[in-house]
Amino acid sequence: MSADFLRTQNAGWYRFRVGGFECTAIWDGYIHHGYEGIFPNADPAEMARLKAEHNLPEDHIPMDLNPVVVNTGEHLFLIDAGMGRTSVMFGDTMGRLTDNMRAAGIAPEDIDAVLMTHLHPDHAFGLIDPDGSAAFPNARLFCTEADWAEWTDERNLQRNDFRAPWTEGALAAVAPYRARLTLFRPGDTLFPGVSTVCVAGHAAGMCAYIFESEGQKVVFTGDVAHHQIYDPLHPEWFFHMDYDTDPQQGAAAKAAIFSKAADDGIRFHGYHFPYPGLGDIARAPDGTYRFHPQPVNPRL
């Protein structure tokens, strides 16, 4: 007897604990990103060596999108909102956040705060549904002052580069939240157990969020790093000369957050690392780093 191929996978959510906090990584999909323009200051021979050693895809970097919901018992936070379904500028393999959130038992309307690392499309466009309404209708929106200034600047709409469509999408995405917007500066503590740290460079105001409970910590890092092998081994490599606001600053921020995570015992979450993006950063004897992913398992 024959049977049709199902062509489906397990629902894209993964639960983990940080002290008394319950966290759920929610898979929004992935970007099939070619190597063109990626790590422009990298040694091609070293990239080739690492591809072979770690059996990486030859022609692309598969970047997952891993927003996370954190339930502190008092608040239900969402860190970044994915690509959403209003645009396919990066392909049609994203926009699964709210479906997977509901599969995880979390209602989008129960989110009371969305914490943005930055307002790039694959982090911010998911703030709205295709009809332009708020995907998280009861949530306050948190964004750094510098990131808001960079990506809601309407003068960008007159440019002839990527900033025009990215800003147009960001303006639409934040529109339903303007009456419940909180701007802050990296370094501010936003809630008990929720602090922020500057990781600017990829975007001028990008920040990371550190959640702490019962002596345990996790840092949600946005786009400070994009690859689980290349970045820890070579934090000096820029991500992309075209899309980084300040490539050198971004590389320095990457090295600094790796150092902090390794030295302070903070679990590391990479938004674009392989789903669910969670693991530990360890310092190697040569001064570089390694990312050790946390195995996905049914235990909580």
Side-chain angles (χ1 to χ4, degrees):
M1 185 181 76
S2 62
D4 293 336
F5 293 115
L6 296 178
R7 304 185 188 281
T8 57
Q9 186 54 279
N10 291 338
W13 60 271
Y14 178 68
R15 208 99 70 196
F16 61 98
R17 298 295 294 249
V18 176
F21 297 165
E22 183 179 80
C23 308
T24 308
I26 310 286
W27 191 66
D28 187 57
Y30 66 96
I31 300 174
H32 186 96
H33 202 305
Y35 277 95
E36 297 79 12
I38 296 291
F39 303 120
N41 63 329
D43 176 3
E46 174 65 355
M47 287 195 72
R49 183 188 73 81
L50 292 173
K51 280 184 192 179
E53 180 178 335
H54 296 277
N55 197 28
L56 301 174
E58 280 290 330
D59 61 343
H60 72 284
I61 295 177
M63 295 182 184
D64 285 341
L65 276 62
N66 297 306
V68 179
V69 173
V70 180
N71 186 345
T72 67
E74 295 182 3
H75 295 284
L76 200 61
F77 295 101
L78 172 65
I79 299 98
D80 285 336
M83 186 73 194
R85 292 169 290 181
T86 63
S87 172
V88 291
M89 64 171 64
F90 295 163
D92 62 357
T93 55
M94 291 153 281
R96 294 163 169 79
L97 174 64
T98 53
D99 288 344
N100 283 330
M101 186 180 290
R102 292 187 187 281
I106 301 168
E109 55 268 27
D110 289 342
I111 299 293
D112 52 28
V114 181
L115 310 181
M116 300 303 305
T117 62
H118 62 307
L119 293 173
H120 283 184
D122 51 323
H123 298 254
F125 285 13
L127 286 168
I128 55 173
D129 288 327
D131 64 359
S133 63
F136 311 100
N138 298 309
R140 296 164 60 193
L141 182 67
F142 289 77
C143 185
T144 70
E145 294 174 350
D147 196 67
W148 183 266
E150 183 175 19
W151 293 107
T152 64
D153 185 349
E154 295 187 7
R155 293 172 296 180
N156 289 340
L157 301 176
Q158 308 305 314
R159 296 175 61 122
N160 293 317
D161 61 9
F162 71 95
R163 286 182 175 268
W166 286 24
T167 299
E168 181 181 16
L171 287 167
V174 302
Y177 299 88
R178 284 181 177 267
R180 40 205 165 94
L181 171 68
T182 298
L183 298 179
F184 64 92
R185 295 180 179 178
D188 291 350
T189 295
L190 303 182
F191 297 87
V194 183
S195 59
T196 63
V197 60
C198 179
V199 289
H202 180 63
M206 191 168 70
C207 80
Y209 296 91
I210 297 177
F211 281 71
E212 179 176 6
S213 173
E214 298 176 359
Q216 298 183 18
K217 297 181 182 180
V218 63
V219 59
F220 301 106
T221 60
D223 280 2
V224 73
H226 289 79
H227 196 274
Q228 74 281 7
I229 301 297
Y230 296 129
D231 282 311
L233 274 162
H234 290 283
E236 77 279 7
W237 287 0
F238 307 150
F239 170 61
H240 204 298
M241 293 294 289
D242 292 337
Y243 300 129
D244 279 1
T245 298
D246 186 327
Q248 187 64 61
Q249 184 187 28
K254 187 193 318 181
I257 200 69
F258 284 164
S259 176
K260 184 175 181 63
D263 293 346
D264 295 350
I266 304 173
R267 293 164 79 186
F268 187 94
H269 182 267
Y271 184 83
H272 285 302
F273 283 14
Y275 167 84
L278 183 68
D280 296 298
I281 293 288
R283 190 187 296 275
D286 62 2
T288 65
Y289 301 91
R290 302 294 184 273
F291 176 71
H292 300 296
Q294 176 175 309
V296 173
N297 62 68
R299 299 189 301 274
L300 180 62

